[in-house]
Amino acid sequence: MLLWSLLVIFDAVTEQADSLTLVAPSSVFEGDSIVLKCQGEQNWKIQKMAYHKDNKELSVFKKFSDFLIQSAVLSDSGNYFCSTKGQLFLWDKTSNIVKIKVQGIPISNVSLEIRAPGGQVTEGQKLILLCSVAGGTGNVTFSWYREATGTSMGKKTQRSLSAELEIPAVKESDAGKYYCRADNGHVPIQSKVVNIPVRIPVSRPVLTLRSPGAQAAVGDLLELHCEALRGSPPILYQFYHEDVTLGNSSAPSGGGASFNLSLTAEHSGNYSCEANNGLGAQCSEAVPVSISGPDGYRRDLMTAGVLWGLFGVLGFTGVALLLYALFHKISGESSATNEPRGASRPNPQEFTYSSPTPDMEELQPVYVNVGSVDVDVVYSQVWSMQQPESSANIRTLLENKDSQVIYSSVKKS
């Protein structure tokens, strides 16, 4: 009788308790929050309540409470229900089952961005290729490609809207067109193609000096040519003389540049040049230039030419005078030999006397001859400037060519 009474009471209590109901959102996307509510009015206190997914207990509460999933992911999809345990009996009461499917959001607006020190992709420096998406949920797989080859340079899968690919040291051959692709399980989307130029720092330039002659001279137009064999244009060249700036010249399309200098005597010394394209300056080796003399090599040549010309004129004049004197001396001796004996030839370089002068009287005649009737000269004398010691030396004196003689004659009227 007592047992029967207890069963009746139990059935009455059970009928008075409402069924448990699980309330959940009908549509869920990745990133959305999910709130689960377990509802049911009971006339007794519960010992505990719990939420379950696919028969796995998620959380346990001492009283009715909501269960929250802050940001849903694809793996949150499944079958959910709740249950309670009463204080009087060791059995559970279970709610209805709710199936939740978390949907992913397709990615959108994929872009490729270049990040480099100073904003320029430079040979030898680091380059970062940043691939980003404007929207999309879940894990996203990012991949990078070079258009020329079409092969993947790298791939990353992560739960984010962007990813980076790093090239530690860029080479000149890395220049070209690139793009990236993103995929979160829906439709893969590709970015626009981005052209990446690689700028090359200038190499050490070479300075070449060009002048009209083998040696630079005052007044010459000296050309200073500076050229860096490697380096991205434009390149600015600076020219120096003993570390003092002479001027500059640019090469907008690359290659070398020149600077012209009109030389003076002060331009001797060391010359150098510098190349700079904004990625660092490089200086050439010093090239020495020597200009001889205070006024330069050319003036020395002119002075030497004038002196040699003057010496030539003086030499020619001296030789001419020597030949002239020799010619007249030889012709005089020849005339004296061919004339008849007793005849005497007046010297055109000397003067003619009608009679000896007082000075002449001091000179002693060494030879006197009176011509015959057939000879035109009736009187002649030969005078010597050197007084012989004896008459025995007369012939020797006459035959001595170094003796200085004076001829005088008186002709018939």
PDB file of all heavy atoms in Angstrom, residues 261-285:
ATOM      1  N   LEU A 261      87.402  70.656 -68.662  1.00  0.00           N
ATOM      2  CA  LEU A 261      88.148  71.611 -67.859  1.00  0.00           C
ATOM      3  C   LEU A 261      89.255  72.211 -68.705  1.00  0.00           C
ATOM      4  O   LEU A 261      90.052  71.493 -69.301  1.00  0.00           O
ATOM      5  CB  LEU A 261      88.747  70.912 -66.639  1.00  0.00           C
ATOM      6  CG  LEU A 261      89.592  71.754 -65.689  1.00  0.00           C
ATOM      7  CD1 LEU A 261      88.732  72.810 -65.019  1.00  0.00           C
ATOM      8  CD2 LEU A 261      90.253  70.864 -64.644  1.00  0.00           C
ATOM      9  N   SER A 262      89.296  73.571 -68.784  1.00  0.00           N
ATOM     10  CA  SER A 262      90.357  74.273 -69.491  1.00  0.00           C
ATOM     11  C   SER A 262      91.543  74.420 -68.546  1.00  0.00           C
ATOM     12  O   SER A 262      91.442  75.057 -67.506  1.00  0.00           O
ATOM     13  CB  SER A 262      89.869  75.643 -69.978  1.00  0.00           C
ATOM     14  OG  SER A 262      90.889  76.303 -70.692  1.00  0.00           O
ATOM     15  N   LEU A 263      92.670  73.821 -68.895  1.00  0.00           N
ATOM     16  CA  LEU A 263      93.792  73.697 -67.969  1.00  0.00           C
ATOM     17  C   LEU A 263      94.564  74.995 -67.793  1.00  0.00           C
ATOM     18  O   LEU A 263      94.767  75.757 -68.743  1.00  0.00           O
ATOM     19  CB  LEU A 263      94.751  72.614 -68.459  1.00  0.00           C
ATOM     20  CG  LEU A 263      94.226  71.176 -68.406  1.00  0.00           C
ATOM     21  CD1 LEU A 263      95.254  70.233 -68.961  1.00  0.00           C
ATOM     22  CD2 LEU A 263      93.863  70.801 -66.981  1.00  0.00           C
ATOM     23  N   THR A 264      94.986  75.209 -66.555  1.00  0.00           N
ATOM     24  CA  THR A 264      95.948  76.249 -66.211  1.00  0.00           C
ATOM     25  C   THR A 264      97.081  75.578 -65.443  1.00  0.00           C
ATOM     26  O   THR A 264      97.033  74.377 -65.145  1.00  0.00           O
ATOM     27  CB  THR A 264      95.299  77.345 -65.346  1.00  0.00           C
ATOM     28  OG1 THR A 264      94.904  76.768 -64.091  1.00  0.00           O
ATOM     29  CG2 THR A 264      94.085  77.949 -66.039  1.00  0.00           C
ATOM     30  N   ALA A 265      98.110  76.359 -65.119  1.00  0.00           N
ATOM     31  CA  ALA A 265      99.262  75.782 -64.413  1.00  0.00           C
ATOM     32  C   ALA A 265      98.870  75.260 -63.032  1.00  0.00           C
ATOM     33  O   ALA A 265      99.526  74.376 -62.496  1.00  0.00           O
ATOM     34  CB  ALA A 265     100.359  76.840 -64.283  1.00  0.00           C
ATOM     35  N   GLU A 266      97.798  75.790 -62.446  1.00  0.00           N
ATOM     36  CA  GLU A 266      97.383  75.381 -61.106  1.00  0.00           C
ATOM     37  C   GLU A 266      96.588  74.083 -61.109  1.00  0.00           C
ATOM     38  O   GLU A 266      96.192  73.599 -60.042  1.00  0.00           O
ATOM     39  CB  GLU A 266      96.531  76.486 -60.449  1.00  0.00           C
ATOM     40  CG  GLU A 266      97.287  77.749 -60.096  1.00  0.00           C
ATOM     41  CD  GLU A 266      97.586  78.603 -61.317  1.00  0.00           C
ATOM     42  OE1 GLU A 266      96.904  78.399 -62.345  1.00  0.00           O
ATOM     43  OE2 GLU A 266      98.509  79.440 -61.244  1.00  0.00           O
ATOM     44  N   HIS A 267      96.316  73.515 -62.271  1.00  0.00           N
ATOM     45  CA  HIS A 267      95.475  72.326 -62.348  1.00  0.00           C
ATOM     46  C   HIS A 267      96.251  71.038 -62.197  1.00  0.00           C
ATOM     47  O   HIS A 267      95.693  69.956 -62.368  1.00  0.00           O
ATOM     48  CB  HIS A 267      94.685  72.310 -63.661  1.00  0.00           C
ATOM     49  CG  HIS A 267      93.513  73.225 -63.645  1.00  0.00           C
ATOM     50  ND1 HIS A 267      93.091  73.943 -64.747  1.00  0.00           N
ATOM     51  CD2 HIS A 267      92.676  73.573 -62.640  1.00  0.00           C
ATOM     52  CE1 HIS A 267      92.047  74.678 -64.425  1.00  0.00           C
ATOM     53  NE2 HIS A 267      91.776  74.472 -63.148  1.00  0.00           N
ATOM     54  N   SER A 268      97.542  71.099 -61.889  1.00  0.00           N
ATOM     55  CA  SER A 268      98.284  69.881 -61.580  1.00  0.00           C
ATOM     56  C   SER A 268      97.777  69.312 -60.260  1.00  0.00           C
ATOM     57  O   SER A 268      97.367  70.048 -59.367  1.00  0.00           O
ATOM     58  CB  SER A 268      99.785  70.176 -61.482  1.00  0.00           C
ATOM     59  OG  SER A 268     100.308  70.556 -62.736  1.00  0.00           O
ATOM     60  N   GLY A 269      97.788  67.991 -60.130  1.00  0.00           N
ATOM     61  CA  GLY A 269      97.341  67.363 -58.897  1.00  0.00           C
ATOM     62  C   GLY A 269      96.506  66.132 -59.166  1.00  0.00           C
ATOM     63  O   GLY A 269      96.481  65.589 -60.275  1.00  0.00           O
ATOM     64  N   ASN A 270      95.789  65.685 -58.137  1.00  0.00           N
ATOM     65  CA  ASN A 270      94.997  64.460 -58.205  1.00  0.00           C
ATOM     66  C   ASN A 270      93.538  64.778 -58.509  1.00  0.00           C
ATOM     67  O   ASN A 270      92.960  65.708 -57.946  1.00  0.00           O
ATOM     68  CB  ASN A 270      95.085  63.687 -56.885  1.00  0.00           C
ATOM     69  CG  ASN A 270      96.467  63.137 -56.649  1.00  0.00           C
ATOM     70  OD1 ASN A 270      97.134  62.711 -57.587  1.00  0.00           O
ATOM     71  ND2 ASN A 270      96.909  63.141 -55.403  1.00  0.00           N
ATOM     72  N   TYR A 271      92.954  63.967 -59.389  1.00  0.00           N
ATOM     73  CA  TYR A 271      91.554  64.105 -59.768  1.00  0.00           C
ATOM     74  C   TYR A 271      90.809  62.825 -59.395  1.00  0.00           C
ATOM     75  O   TYR A 271      91.371  61.730 -59.440  1.00  0.00           O
ATOM     76  CB  TYR A 271      91.414  64.371 -61.267  1.00  0.00           C
ATOM     77  CG  TYR A 271      91.874  65.747 -61.684  1.00  0.00           C
ATOM     78  CD1 TYR A 271      93.219  66.026 -61.869  1.00  0.00           C
ATOM     79  CD2 TYR A 271      90.959  66.774 -61.889  1.00  0.00           C
ATOM     80  CE1 TYR A 271      93.656  67.288 -62.238  1.00  0.00           C
ATOM     81  CE2 TYR A 271      91.380  68.032 -62.267  1.00  0.00           C
ATOM     82  CZ  TYR A 271      92.726  68.293 -62.441  1.00  0.00           C
ATOM     83  OH  TYR A 271      93.122  69.546 -62.810  1.00  0.00           O
ATOM     84  N   SER A 272      89.534  62.983 -59.026  1.00  0.00           N
ATOM     85  CA  SER A 272      88.684  61.846 -58.695  1.00  0.00           C
ATOM     86  C   SER A 272      87.245  62.186 -59.012  1.00  0.00           C
ATOM     87  O   SER A 272      86.914  63.344 -59.304  1.00  0.00           O
ATOM     88  CB  SER A 272      88.824  61.461 -57.214  1.00  0.00           C
ATOM     89  OG  SER A 272      88.404  62.540 -56.386  1.00  0.00           O
ATOM     90  N   CYS A 273      86.382  61.166 -58.974  1.00  0.00           N
ATOM     91  CA  CYS A 273      84.955  61.395 -59.227  1.00  0.00           C
ATOM     92  C   CYS A 273      84.136  60.501 -58.301  1.00  0.00           C
ATOM     93  O   CYS A 273      84.644  59.534 -57.725  1.00  0.00           O
ATOM     94  CB  CYS A 273      84.596  61.136 -60.692  1.00  0.00           C
ATOM     95  SG  CYS A 273      84.714  59.406 -61.200  1.00  0.00           S
ATOM     96  N   GLU A 274      82.856  60.850 -58.174  1.00  0.00           N
ATOM     97  CA  GLU A 274      81.946  60.128 -57.290  1.00  0.00           C
ATOM     98  C   GLU A 274      80.647  59.841 -58.037  1.00  0.00           C
ATOM     99  O   GLU A 274      80.137  60.700 -58.754  1.00  0.00           O
ATOM    100  CB  GLU A 274      81.677  60.955 -56.035  1.00  0.00           C
ATOM    101  CG  GLU A 274      80.718  60.312 -55.044  1.00  0.00           C
ATOM    102  CD  GLU A 274      80.384  61.246 -53.893  1.00  0.00           C
ATOM    103  OE1 GLU A 274      79.433  62.045 -54.041  1.00  0.00           O
ATOM    104  OE2 GLU A 274      81.082  61.189 -52.866  1.00  0.00           O
ATOM    105  N   ALA A 275      80.113  58.621 -57.855  1.00  0.00           N
ATOM    106  CA  ALA A 275      78.844  58.217 -58.473  1.00  0.00           C
ATOM    107  C   ALA A 275      77.822  57.960 -57.375  1.00  0.00           C
ATOM    108  O   ALA A 275      78.132  57.347 -56.350  1.00  0.00           O
ATOM    109  CB  ALA A 275      79.032  56.975 -59.331  1.00  0.00           C
ATOM    110  N   ASN A 276      76.582  58.424 -57.604  1.00  0.00           N
ATOM    111  CA  ASN A 276      75.533  58.276 -56.599  1.00  0.00           C
ATOM    112  C   ASN A 276      74.183  58.185 -57.301  1.00  0.00           C
ATOM    113  O   ASN A 276      73.842  59.040 -58.109  1.00  0.00           O
ATOM    114  CB  ASN A 276      75.547  59.461 -55.632  1.00  0.00           C
ATOM    115  CG  ASN A 276      74.689  59.220 -54.404  1.00  0.00           C
ATOM    116  OD1 ASN A 276      73.886  58.290 -54.355  1.00  0.00           O
ATOM    117  ND2 ASN A 276      74.838  60.074 -53.409  1.00  0.00           N
ATOM    118  N   ASN A 277      73.419  57.123 -57.001  1.00  0.00           N
ATOM    119  CA  ASN A 277      72.065  56.990 -57.547  1.00  0.00           C
ATOM    120  C   ASN A 277      71.019  56.906 -56.440  1.00  0.00           C
ATOM    121  O   ASN A 277      69.927  56.372 -56.634  1.00  0.00           O
ATOM    122  CB  ASN A 277      71.965  55.764 -58.460  1.00  0.00           C
ATOM    123  CG  ASN A 277      72.182  54.459 -57.712  1.00  0.00           C
ATOM    124  OD1 ASN A 277      72.630  54.451 -56.570  1.00  0.00           O
ATOM    125  ND2 ASN A 277      71.868  53.347 -58.352  1.00  0.00           N
ATOM    126  N   GLY A 278      71.368  57.456 -55.276  1.00  0.00           N
ATOM    127  CA  GLY A 278      70.437  57.474 -54.151  1.00  0.00           C
ATOM    128  C   GLY A 278      70.496  56.247 -53.283  1.00  0.00           C
ATOM    129  O   GLY A 278      69.816  56.179 -52.256  1.00  0.00           O
ATOM    130  N   LEU A 279      71.295  55.254 -53.660  1.00  0.00           N
ATOM    131  CA  LEU A 279      71.412  54.022 -52.890  1.00  0.00           C
ATOM    132  C   LEU A 279      72.786  53.904 -52.243  1.00  0.00           C
ATOM    133  O   LEU A 279      73.178  52.834 -51.795  1.00  0.00           O
ATOM    134  CB  LEU A 279      71.163  52.806 -53.796  1.00  0.00           C
ATOM    135  CG  LEU A 279      69.823  52.790 -54.533  1.00  0.00           C
ATOM    136  CD1 LEU A 279      69.746  51.596 -55.464  1.00  0.00           C
ATOM    137  CD2 LEU A 279      68.664  52.764 -53.545  1.00  0.00           C
ATOM    138  N   GLY A 280      73.503  55.022 -52.201  1.00  0.00           N
ATOM    139  CA  GLY A 280      74.856  55.021 -51.651  1.00  0.00           C
ATOM    140  C   GLY A 280      75.852  55.527 -52.677  1.00  0.00           C
ATOM    141  O   GLY A 280      75.726  55.229 -53.871  1.00  0.00           O
ATOM    142  N   ALA A 281      76.815  56.322 -52.231  1.00  0.00           N
ATOM    143  CA  ALA A 281      77.819  56.919 -53.125  1.00  0.00           C
ATOM    144  C   ALA A 281      79.075  56.063 -53.144  1.00  0.00           C
ATOM    145  O   ALA A 281      79.443  55.443 -52.136  1.00  0.00           O
ATOM    146  CB  ALA A 281      78.154  58.334 -52.682  1.00  0.00           C
ATOM    147  N   GLN A 282      79.738  56.051 -54.311  1.00  0.00           N
ATOM    148  CA  GLN A 282      81.001  55.348 -54.485  1.00  0.00           C
ATOM    149  C   GLN A 282      81.991  56.314 -55.133  1.00  0.00           C
ATOM    150  O   GLN A 282      81.636  57.048 -56.051  1.00  0.00           O
ATOM    151  CB  GLN A 282      80.835  54.108 -55.368  1.00  0.00           C
ATOM    152  CG  GLN A 282      79.993  53.005 -54.748  1.00  0.00           C
ATOM    153  CD  GLN A 282      80.724  52.269 -53.650  1.00  0.00           C
ATOM    154  OE1 GLN A 282      81.943  52.330 -53.556  1.00  0.00           O
ATOM    155  NE2 GLN A 282      79.983  51.584 -52.789  1.00  0.00           N
ATOM    156  N   CYS A 283      83.256  56.308 -54.659  1.00  0.00           N
ATOM    157  CA  CYS A 283      84.282  57.218 -55.151  1.00  0.00           C
ATOM    158  C   CYS A 283      85.347  56.447 -55.918  1.00  0.00           C
ATOM    159  O   CYS A 283      85.705  55.329 -55.539  1.00  0.00           O
ATOM    160  CB  CYS A 283      84.921  57.973 -53.988  1.00  0.00           C
ATOM    161  SG  CYS A 283      86.030  59.309 -54.506  1.00  0.00           S
ATOM    162  N   SER A 284      85.846  57.038 -56.988  1.00  0.00           N
ATOM    163  CA  SER A 284      86.873  56.406 -57.813  1.00  0.00           C
ATOM    164  C   SER A 284      88.244  56.553 -57.173  1.00  0.00           C
ATOM    165  O   SER A 284      88.430  57.281 -56.193  1.00  0.00           O
ATOM    166  CB  SER A 284      86.892  57.045 -59.202  1.00  0.00           C
ATOM    167  OG  SER A 284      87.428  58.359 -59.129  1.00  0.00           O
ATOM    168  N   GLU A 285      89.212  55.873 -57.761  1.00  0.00           N
ATOM    169  CA  GLU A 285      90.597  56.068 -57.361  1.00  0.00           C
ATOM    170  C   GLU A 285      91.103  57.397 -57.911  1.00  0.00           C
ATOM    171  O   GLU A 285      90.617  57.878 -58.938  1.00  0.00           O
ATOM    172  CB  GLU A 285      91.468  54.922 -57.885  1.00  0.00           C
ATOM    173  CG  GLU A 285      91.163  53.577 -57.253  1.00  0.00           C
ATOM    174  CD  GLU A 285      92.118  52.503 -57.737  1.00  0.00           C
ATOM    175  OE1 GLU A 285      92.971  52.813 -58.592  1.00  0.00           O
ATOM    176  OE2 GLU A 285      92.002  51.358 -57.261  1.00  0.00           O
TER     177      GLU A 285
END
